[in-house]
Amino acid sequence: NAGVTQTPKFQVLKTGQSMTLQCAQDMNHEYMSWYRQDPGMGLRLIHYSVGAGITDQGEVPNGYNVSRSTTEDFPLRLLSAAPSQTSVYFCASSGGQSPYQPQHFGDGTRLSIL
Amino acid sequence: KQEVTQIPAALSVPEGENLVLNCSFTDSAIYNLQWFRQDPGKGLTSLLLIQSSQREQTSGRLNASLDKSSGRSTLYIAASQPGDSATYLCAVLNQAGTALIFGKGTTLSVSS
């Protein structure tokens, strides 16, 4: 049972480039979410999804897009990378349509924007 | 706006000590509170989840309590071990059930 898998683990981008961070879970969880973790700021919610075809914004959604075409996958897109988006990104999932249940986290993607 | 605070930011103890980590939140209208562990370079691992109607949860050497009216939770670790060294985060789920709000964590170091 792989749990929550994030790819890539590390990425360096130039300002203005676009990229997609991948997140997949094999636990048939309805709720999935993306967080960013910055020193001194803690984890902050970017976007979340309560099921295929349903997404909503979190606390810091600007500069990021998401879609949820399947239960398993929840990719996060950076449209035009900015240095302020340098961070560690975590994907999480849980059973049900809300984080009522314990969250399962991936190991993160460490992203640097030059 | 819900704010979650964890004190202390860092803690060093010798092996075998019992210790308490603190978490406070400003809005008592929460659905649940969760404690996580994060090892360096890794994701978060859920340790304990306390529903708003509960007072405490226990798992092995860990015991978490919740006092919703005062906006406080504690994580008690008994007989600490070097393997307990990690960052411990608490998070509250808002009553709408849409967002987890995290504290900044307490980094624990247990020396042998």
Side-chain angles (χ1 to χ4, degrees):
Chain A
N1 192 342
V4 178
T5 302
Q6 291 185 239
T7 56
K9 294 188 184 303
F10 302 93
Q11 184 70 48
V12 178
L13 292 178
K14 295 181 179 179
T15 297
Q17 287 185 316
S18 63
M19 82 160 293
T20 299
L21 308 185
Q22 301 292 343
C23 175
Q25 51 89 12
D26 61 359
M27 298 171 283
N28 201 33
H29 285 167
E30 294 289 336
Y31 183 90
M32 296 185 73
S33 56
W34 278 100
Y35 292 87
R36 58 177 291 173
Q37 185 175 36
D38 302 293
M41 299 292 293
L43 280 93
R44 292 178 291 169
L45 182 65
I46 305 172
H47 285 284
Y48 65 94
S49 169
V50 299
I54 306 170
T55 64
D56 206 345
Q57 297 180 350
E59 180 184 358
V60 289
N62 292 341
Y64 307 96
N65 276 0
V66 292
S67 60
R68 184 95 178 269
S69 57
T70 67
T71 298
E72 293 78 19
D73 300 298
F74 190 41
L76 178 71
R77 297 183 186 85
L78 282 69
L79 303 177
S80 179
S84 61
Q85 293 178 306
T86 293
S87 187
V88 182
Y89 292 85
F90 289 101
C91 178
S93 73
S94 64
Q97 294 189 319
S98 170
Y100 296 140
Q101 301 300 322
Q103 296 287 291
H104 297 258
F105 278 78
D107 282 343
T109 294
R110 284 144 187 84
L111 183 62
S112 292
I113 314 295
L114 304 178
Chain B
K1 178 184 176 185
Q2 177 75 271
E3 293 184 1
V4 179
T5 303
Q6 292 188 246
I7 295 174
L11 181 63
S12 293
V13 300
E15 182 177 6
E17 272 205 6
N18 302 325
L19 58 100
V20 174
L21 306 181
N22 297 294
C23 173
S24 62
F25 46 95
T26 55
D27 185 351
S28 62
I30 63 170
Y31 194 91
N32 64 36
L33 183 145
Q34 302 181 39
W35 282 94
F36 295 88
R37 168 184 173 139
Q38 184 175 27
D39 293 292
K42 294 291 188 180
L44 282 69
T45 300
S46 179
L47 297 173
L48 291 165
L49 183 154
I50 310 176
Q51 303 293 350
S52 64
S53 59
Q54 297 177 319
R55 298 285 297 189
E56 64 179 320
Q57 282 286 341
T58 298
S59 176
R61 294 182 295 108
L62 305 179
N63 176 276
S65 67
L66 174 63
D67 185 343
K68 203 171 71 162
S69 61
S70 67
R72 295 176 185 271
S73 176
T74 61
L75 179 66
Y76 174 82
I77 302 177
S80 58
Q81 303 170 358
D84 295 330
S85 298
T87 297
Y88 291 81
L89 298 130
C90 73
V92 298
L93 176 62
N94 62 12
Q95 277 214 333
T98 56
L100 276 173
I101 310 299
F102 281 85
K104 295 178 183 178
T106 294
T107 298
L108 173 66
S109 176
V110 181
S111 57
S112 57

